[in-house]
Amino acid sequence: MDEETITLLGLESSCDDTAAAVVRLSGGKGAILSSVVAGQTDLHAAFGGVVPEIAARAHVEKIDLCAEEALANAGASLGDIDGIAVTAGPGLIGGVLAGVMCAKGMSAATGLPLLGVNHLAGHALTPRLTHGLPFPYLMLLVSGGHCQFLVVEGAERFRRLGGTIDDAPGEAFDKTAKLLGLPQPGGPAVEAEARKGDPARFAFPRPLLDRPGCDLSFSGLKTALLRARDGVIAEKGGLTGVDRADLCAGFQAAVADVLAEKTRRALDAYLASGPEFPSLAVAGGVAANAAIRARLETVASGAGTRFVAPPLALCTDNAAMIAWAGIERFRLGHRDGLDLVARPRWPLDIAQPALIGSGKKGAKA
Ligand code: KG4
Ligand code: ZN
């Protein structure tokens, strides 16, 4: 049995959530002792998106309070922890800097080791915290800012099999909601409408299915939705509830079809390397979509692969995943110094040529 015990404080501030958490590795298992997330939705609501300067200022105001609260909730003080893990990128640079400076301050004051964590590694390693998943597993990250297939081979070894060449699916859900007058974030609203609608009424494209590989594209779907909406409006002078539900159902079915087929191909590529415990894990807000999740589960079981979805609060942005990724680095012997740099861009798979826009658009990662 692994007797190693490591307790880290994690800090996250790369987008619009200020978060802190205390996570412990003990007996080979991870446990979340506390996790605090302070969202900023209200601050950005009037602007229709995240305003980087407002986000950065709010992180500066909140990050130390979140850290204090996380320590208190864990019944711990700085003297009880072994180090401080902090998101050092990718993300909105003002926010990342706020977290990195806070972590450096604490490290300088206490002498505790500092660990810079890649935010995407945080997402990608979460199934090891929640399910103890062994390497290598296939990870599909689907959020408002990201969509990529990664083979997670080690705590610092990620092989990207493909990803979006334009929008992320969550972004497409949000834009669809906007175009149909539904509330933000769009995903849950579109999903609720889609449940009532007929997915066959509108013929939406399935972008890039005709091309080999597992790259994806979602910007054409958004345009198709706009055209279909305008077609109905031109014909009838407006949208009925049924029209809206049918548009949502058609759009969601297209996203689900594309994600399912590309996941099947990514699984093929991953399985070809002969993993001992074949597993497909998902993370990101879009993985909350029941219809999409069910399709991915079917794809996984069809390929004899275990399907793992961490609880939603750990799929979306949080600091427990940062503390955990820090623990994974810590046990490999890594430590960062006070010269740790905040990075707005930081691809996980540096061996791969960057995609157009690195598959990253918008504020979220
Ligand atoms: O992971 P997340 O909380 O934030 C980042 O993007 O990092 O994901 C938020 C995205 C939003 O675009 C939201 O519309 C989408 O996830 N989302 C959904 C659902 N719930 C959230 N998309 C589809 N169906 C849902 N049920
Ligand atoms: Zn994220």
Side-chain angles (χ1 to χ4, degrees):
M1 193 171 112
D2 187 349
E3 292 301 338
E4 186 180 28
T5 297
I6 303 167
T7 309
L8 291 195
L9 171 70
L11 303 178
E12 155 63 33
S13 57
S14 65
C15 186
D16 60 349
D17 291 302
T18 316
V22 178
V23 175
R24 173 170 294 159
L25 169 75
S26 181
K29 284 204 177 102
I32 300 170
L33 304 189
S34 66
S35 181
V36 176
V37 180
Q40 302 178 351
T41 313
D42 307 355
L43 296 179
H44 304 289
F47 305 96
V50 177
V51 184
E53 284 73 17
I54 294 177
R57 211 164 302 157
H59 288 307
V60 171
E61 284 169 12
K62 285 267 172 67
I63 189 92
D64 54 334
L65 299 176
C66 285
E68 217 167 57
E69 194 180 333
L71 285 168
N73 292 353
S77 70
L78 282 172
D80 300 317
I81 61 170
D82 301 304
I84 300 159
V86 62
T87 301
L92 298 173
I93 192 63
V96 178
L97 271 169
V100 168
M101 294 313 290
C102 179
K104 282 185 184 179
M106 283 194 217
S107 170
T110 57
L112 285 169
L114 183 65
L115 291 120
V117 166
N118 183 309
H119 176 88
L120 300 174
H123 280 302
L125 296 170
T126 299
R128 290 174 52 73
L129 167 62
T130 57
H131 293 74
L133 214 57
F135 300 125
Y137 54 90
L138 179 65
M139 159 62 69
L140 168 59
L141 243 179
V142 265
S143 70
H146 255 280
C147 184
Q148 53 181 297
F149 294 104
L150 292 166
V151 180
V152 184
E153 298 174 331
E156 297 191 305
R157 285 212 337 263
F158 305 92
R159 188 158 53 91
R160 197 188 66 210
L161 299 178
T164 183
I165 59 166
D166 42 53
D167 294 353
E171 198 180 352
F173 268 96
D174 293 340
K175 284 183 183 155
T176 293
K178 218 175 212 170
L179 289 171
L180 299 178
L182 298 169
Q184 296 292 322
V190 170
E191 182 179 13
E193 288 293 319
R195 231 175 273 130
K196 301 178 274 180
D198 170 11
R201 174 166 159 211
F202 297 97
F204 286 112
R206 268 59 175 163
L208 296 193
L209 278 197
D210 53 341
R211 276 207 238 155
C214 36
D215 282 342
L216 309 101
S217 161
F218 294 98
S219 67
L221 259 179
K222 177 181 71 196
T223 315
L225 183 108
L226 176 65
R227 276 212 206 97
R229 182 202 70 171
D230 289 351
V232 176
I233 293 175
E235 195 187 311
K236 303 193 200 164
L239 288 182
T240 65
V242 173
D243 296 331
R244 205 171 274 122
D246 290 347
L247 284 164
C248 286
F251 165 82
Q252 182 175 283
V255 174
D257 275 357
V258 169
L259 282 173
E261 172 57 20
K262 295 289 177 168
T263 301
R264 197 191 57 72
R265 293 184 199 174
L267 260 177
D268 272 355
Y270 156 73
L271 292 172
S273 62
E276 196 180 350
F277 303 103
S279 318
L280 167 68
V282 291
V286 181
N289 185 293
I292 291 175
R293 191 185 276 234
R295 290 290 299 279
L296 299 176
E297 251 184 296
T298 307
V299 171
S301 65
T305 299
R306 180 180 174 197
F307 181 78
V308 171
L312 192 59
L314 294 176
C315 278
T316 55
D317 286 353
N318 66 88
M321 70 179 190
I322 302 305
W324 175 257
I327 287 174
E328 297 249 29
R329 292 198 69 217
F330 192 97
R331 69 203 292 209
L332 291 176
H334 296 297
R335 306 288 183 273
D336 288 299
L338 291 178
D339 56 352
L340 174 68
V341 174
R343 303 169 65 173
R345 286 192 169 262
W346 186 0
L348 273 181
D349 183 350
I350 47 172
Q352 291 264 352
L355 278 172
I356 305 162
S358 296
K360 164 85 178 73
K361 279 185 106 190
K364 285 266 192 178

